[in-house]
Amino acid sequence: MPAERLTVVIAAYNEAEALPVLHPRLAAVLDGLAGEGVEGHLLYVDDGSGDDTWAVLEALAAADPRVSALRLSRNFGKEAALTAGLDRVREGAAIILDADGQDPPELIPQFVAKWREGYDDVHGTRIARDGDGWFKRTTAHGFYRVMQRLSKTPIPTDTGDFRLLSPRALAALRQLRERHRFMKGLFGWVGFRQVSVPYRREARTAGRTKFNAWKLWNFALEGVTSFSTAPLRVATYLGLLTAALAFLYAAWIVLKAVLWGDPVAGWPTMMTVILLLGGVQLMALGTIGEYLGRLYEESKQRPLYLVDRWRPATGVSLDDLAPEGERPDAYRPSVAGNEVG
Ligand code: UDP
Ligand code: MG
């Protein structure tokens, strides 16, 4: 039987401290899998880190022939970094894993076993999030439930990016080139045979989280706007409700004037109505604006990321790593001294 190929894709942004801890764990897991006929590879994507991450990755690649490293031209965000990595997995399955050790690499053999059973998307579902505070735990819990109600695309709850994708799931994912990438939703959209593997989410091994509350809020907005148009409909129903109430109120005012005359009072009522309607209208406009802004950005058709430099693993040529339709020499470092191995 020919060896099955598996590439672990890791997005790393300022993870110089965490990577040296993670890599030996990953290497040990891949060593174990090699005995079962799985040809393991590692593809690290440096998402424009400002620390020594790239130097660490070059050292890892020099020491381990299974390691390829890719550096983006700036920080594009985790979703773009993962896309850059997945675009370069041309053969076999891929596994997505966080650089900070929160997704235990020791689970990979279980994922592979499920893949062998015929599943296309094997994802880790967190039964506990030991590493996260109560704020993150409760907001994340709420977010997944709201998303499930709002979106028609099935998005498994408490499931992050930690997952294995079969070659056909990968090929499908690669066709989704939207700029606003809510990966959890994209995985769900692809479908095929999915299965979840429960695990305990550990604390970060080193470094600190890149996602503060504001970033998480924006991430949630991204999720809702990418996979649901329900907020747009809210304006319609609010409008209908307001109109219905307004008709009733108007009838009451006319009746009152006819029965008891019109003493011209009601300044408080008028202010309340004006302010309420103004507020509701602005909110509805803002909602439309959120969607319109995203539409504008999609329409620009910019690439999802740019590659600064890469260091393919020993025995892998630049051509092997270039996604289809991309000239491999397009990203050859132009500055002398940046030449890659
Ligand atoms: N990450 C990235 N680009 C970013 C932010 C994060 O590639 O702009 C990577 C980060 O290095 C890590 C993963 O995404 O491997 C998850 O980030 P983090 O641990 O900070 O998120 P959390 O686990 O706290 O949600
Ligand atoms: Mg983390």
Side-chain angles (χ1 to χ4, degrees):
M1 195 181 79
E4 289 159 304
R5 199 182 154 98
L6 180 74
T7 309
V8 186
V9 177
I10 301 128
Y13 177 53
N14 293 345
E15 302 283 8
E17 290 166 47
L19 285 170
V21 188
L22 176 78
H23 184 73
R25 283 172 72 185
L26 266 172
V29 170
L30 291 191
D31 288 342
L33 282 172
E36 295 176 31
V38 176
E39 187 190 320
H41 293 268
L42 293 167
L43 174 52
Y44 289 102
V45 183
D46 176 356
D47 187 13
S49 300
D51 67 352
D52 292 334
T53 298
W54 182 250
V56 171
L57 291 182
E58 282 199 305
L60 289 180
D64 189 335
R66 293 172 294 198
V67 175
S68 300
L70 188 75
R71 181 172 162 85
L72 302 188
S73 64
R74 63 171 173 85
N75 179 240
F76 278 90
K78 181 183 181 188
E79 324 268 310
L82 286 179
T83 309
L86 295 177
D87 279 350
R88 281 159 181 79
V89 181
R90 296 265 294 270
E91 214 185 300
I95 285 191
I96 302 171
L97 190 103
D98 276 3
D100 56 8
Q102 286 199 285
D103 305 327
E106 290 73 23
L107 233 60
I108 291 178
Q110 276 188 51
F111 282 28
V112 171
K114 290 281 178 203
W115 174 36
R116 285 183 165 156
E117 280 175 32
Y119 288 101
D120 293 285
D121 179 333
V122 188
H123 46 257
T125 296
R126 304 145 182 171
I127 45 169
R129 303 172 69 118
D130 299 340
D132 297 320
W134 72 266
F135 179 75
K136 182 150 183 180
R137 281 204 308 267
T138 27
T139 47
H141 183 87
F143 170 70
Y144 285 112
R145 268 99 199 144
V146 170
M147 265 318 287
Q148 227 174 17
R149 307 210 65 167
L150 283 185
S151 162
K152 284 194 211 84
T153 310
I155 299 172
T157 48
D158 302 320
T159 299
D161 295 329
F162 184 27
R163 68 184 66 218
L164 179 146
L165 296 169
S166 75
R168 66 172 180 169
L170 259 180
L173 191 70
R174 268 201 290 266
Q175 295 183 43
L176 309 180
R177 303 310 288 178
E178 54 213 81
R179 272 84 201 145
H180 286 272
R181 301 184 75 71
F182 181 66
M183 293 291 259
K184 300 174 210 295
L186 298 183
F187 298 133
W189 187 90
V190 163
F192 293 131
R193 298 189 63 201
Q194 310 210 349
V195 65
S196 75
V197 175
Y199 77 107
R200 302 181 73 84
R201 188 152 168 89
E202 292 157 31
R204 254 181 175 272
T205 48
R208 31 196 304 250
T209 174
K210 313 296 180 302
F211 292 92
N212 55 29
W214 180 244
K215 263 191 150 179
L216 284 174
W217 162 249
N218 281 302
F219 180 65
L221 268 188
E222 213 60 82
V224 172
T225 49
S226 297
F227 280 88
S228 166
T229 48
L232 286 176
R233 223 165 299 139
V234 168
T236 316
Y237 291 115
L238 262 182
L240 278 176
L241 184 73
T242 319
L245 290 176
F247 278 124
L248 289 178
Y249 189 54
W252 163 240
I253 289 176
V254 170
L255 195 71
K256 214 170 63 162
V258 169
L259 289 183
W260 296 292
D262 183 13
V264 191
W267 190 79
T269 350
M270 200 147 81
M271 278 316 278
T272 318
V273 169
I274 290 176
L275 290 178
L276 178 85
L277 282 185
V280 169
Q281 280 176 3
L282 282 180
M283 267 162 47
L285 266 181
T287 310
I288 298 173
E290 287 290 332
Y291 283 89
L292 188 66
R294 284 173 173 77
L295 185 65
Y296 173 54
E297 271 169 38
E298 295 296 337
S299 72
K300 286 191 267 195
Q301 294 280 312
R302 288 183 183 156
L304 299 179
Y305 55 83
L306 288 179
V307 176
D308 173 24
R309 47 186 108 165
W310 52 19
R311 196 198 182 290
T314 324
V316 180
S317 79
L318 289 177
D319 300 84
D320 290 338
L321 268 179
E324 256 150 270
E326 185 176 279
R327 268 176 38 236
D329 59 349
Y331 300 119
R332 227 181 267 283
S334 51
V335 187
N338 272 356
E339 241 50 64
V340 285

